[in-house]
């Protein structure tokens, strides 16, 4: 699927779509299902609440106090619904990253991957992937909470406006640090699946593999992210216009269903393409740092000792 040498951007782009063609079910179809089903379930649970609230506002029969009271009565089930949706989304993300990484790694040797095989090979890493996402989310949330707490403490001496401005400047100053860390740790989830590493070992390995290639990896991921974002936005806008033209009035609810389904499918496509690209970038980094090309060449002749190619490769050499 790939030439056994350091890969350029064109190689990575071609190989990404080649992986999708070789293993469409564990990559694309799997991502669509795990993104679409939670979105439709959440819409089914929350749409009656939003519809009732909108009707209440449009009817004009409810006073502002009654609207506030209605919100106070309904926020616990609404919060529970959103919380359940976020938990399901966390699981969905894990179910996309694991099989897609397995399929991309096996595709480096041209090996086809069945859906069940991708789930079985990534099942042991699922808990570690969920823990990785939770730790990353908790770290970001902790920083935000401490920042807001600091702004609240400064609100009395500086005033509310001054504290708000200082908070905004502080968060903007943290963005470069967040971006730097995100690139340094971008290979962590791939290492959890491709080499069955623990979280600490995956962090150390990702940190080492990115060394000397930070700007290159950032540029590739930015280009891919921008292109996928533009295409996703274009497709969603076209579908919104189409549903608005053909569905109206009593079909408004159907239009909402179609819109949510379309956004879920487009989001799944973007997510799986990004994950496959990241996995191939990880292969490129291991070729440059660990001579993974020699390992893959040997495994292509004798057969990989593990179902995931390069699983046991640990040789570390100077980048080239």
């Amino acid at each position: 699927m790939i030439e056994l040498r350091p890969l350029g951007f064109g190689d990575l782009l071609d190989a990404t779509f080649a992986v999708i063609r070789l293993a469409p079910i564990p990559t694309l179809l799997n991502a669509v299902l795990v993104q679409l089903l939670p979105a439709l379930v959440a819409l089914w649970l929350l749409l009656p609440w939003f519809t009732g609230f909108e009707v209440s506002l449009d009817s004009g029969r409810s006073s502002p106090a009654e609207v506030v009271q209605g919100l106070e009565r309904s926020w616990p089930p609404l919060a529970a619904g959103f919380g359940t949706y976020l938990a399901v989304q966390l699981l969905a993300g894990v179910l996309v990253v694991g099989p897609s990484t397995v399929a991309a790694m096996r595709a480096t040797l041209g090996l086809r991957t069945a859906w069940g095989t991708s789930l079985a090979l990534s099942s042991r890493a699922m808990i570690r992937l969920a823990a990785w996402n939770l730790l990353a989310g908790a770290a970001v949330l902790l920083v935000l909470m401490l920042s807001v707490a600091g702004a609240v403490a400064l609100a009395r001496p500086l005033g509310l406006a001054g504290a708000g401005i200082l908070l905004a400047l502080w968060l903007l100053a943290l963005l470069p640090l967040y971006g730097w860390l995100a690139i340094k740790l971008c290979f962590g989830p791939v290492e959890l699946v491709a080499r069955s590493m623990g979280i600490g070992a995956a962090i150390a390995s990702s940190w080492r593999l990115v060394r000397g290639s930070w700007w290159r990896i950032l540029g590739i991921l930015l280009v891919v992210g921008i292109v996928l974002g533009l295409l996703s936005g274009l497709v969603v806008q076209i579908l919104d216009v189409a549903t608005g033209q053909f569905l109206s009035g009593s079909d408004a609810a159907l239009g909402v269903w179609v819109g949510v389904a379309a956004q879920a499918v487009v989001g799944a496509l973007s997510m799986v393409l990004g994950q496959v690209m990241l996995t191939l970038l990880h292969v490129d980094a291991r070729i440059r740092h660990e001579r993974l090309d020699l390992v893959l060449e040997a495994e292509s002749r004798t057969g990989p000792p593990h179902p995931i190619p390069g699983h046991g490769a640990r040789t570390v050499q100077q980048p080239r």
Side-chain angles (χ1 to χ4, degrees), residues 160-179:
L160 187 60
I165 293 174
L166 188 61
L167 176 62
L169 293 176
W170 168 250
L171 293 178
L172 285 175
L174 288 179
L175 282 179
L177 176 61
Y178 174 80

Side-chain angles (χ1 to χ4, degrees), residues 38-50 77-78 80-81 84-85 257:
L40 293 180
V41 170
L43 181 62
W44 177 65
L45 293 174
L46 298 176
L47 187 59
W49 186 91
F50 284 114
L78 183 63
T84 303
Y85 175 71
W257 284 93

Side-chain angles (χ1 to χ4, degrees), residues 44-270:
W44 177 65
L45 293 174
L46 298 176
L47 187 59
W49 186 91
F50 284 114
T51 303
F53 184 62
E54 183 179 2
V55 169
S56 176
L57 290 180
D58 291 340
S59 64
R61 294 192 300 268
S62 300
S63 65
E66 291 173 338
V67 171
V68 171
Q69 291 176 358
L71 288 173
E72 290 177 348
R73 288 192 303 268
S74 60
W75 78 262
L78 183 63
F82 274 117
T84 303
Y85 175 71
L86 291 176
V88 174
Q89 282 296 101
L90 173 64
L91 178 62
V94 169
L95 290 174
V96 171
V97 171
S100 298
T101 300
V102 170
M105 289 300 301
R106 286 175 55 81
T108 59
L109 296 185
L111 300 175
R112 295 185 179 275
T113 306
W115 195 0
T117 301
S118 66
L119 290 172
L121 292 177
S122 60
S123 60
R124 292 186 177 181
M126 295 293 187
I127 295 178
R128 293 191 296 270
L129 284 171
W132 178 281
N133 292 337
L134 288 174
L135 288 174
V140 173
L141 183 60
L142 178 62
V143 171
L144 289 176
M145 290 176 61
L146 291 176
S147 301
V148 172
V152 171
L154 294 173
R156 184 178 297 273
L158 297 180
L160 187 60
I165 293 174
L166 188 61
L167 176 62
L169 293 176
W170 168 250
L171 293 178
L172 285 175
L174 288 179
L175 282 179
L177 176 61
Y178 174 80
W180 178 74
L181 285 174
I183 298 299
K184 293 292 287 185
L185 302 178
C186 67
F187 294 143
V190 181
E191 294 280 42
L192 295 178
V193 179
R195 296 207 271 190
S196 303
M197 287 185 171
I199 292 179
I203 291 174
S205 181
S206 177
W207 201 279
R208 175 178 52 78
L209 290 174
V210 173
R211 187 180 303 138
S213 303
W214 190 92
W215 286 106
R216 177 175 178 272
I217 294 171
L218 173 66
I220 291 174
L221 294 180
L222 275 180
V223 170
V224 172
I226 291 172
V227 171
L228 290 177
L230 291 175
L231 290 177
S232 300
L234 179 62
V235 172
V236 170
Q237 288 297 322
I238 292 174
L239 290 173
D240 285 344
V241 172
T243 53
Q245 289 288 333
F246 295 105
L247 299 175
S248 61
S250 60
D251 294 328
L254 179 59
V256 174
W257 284 93
V258 172
V260 169
Q263 291 186 14
V265 172
V266 172
L269 178 61
S270 300

Side-chain angles (χ1 to χ4, degrees), residues 297-308:
E297 183 181 7
E299 291 184 355
S300 68
R301 295 195 304 267
T302 62
H306 190 276
I308 300 177

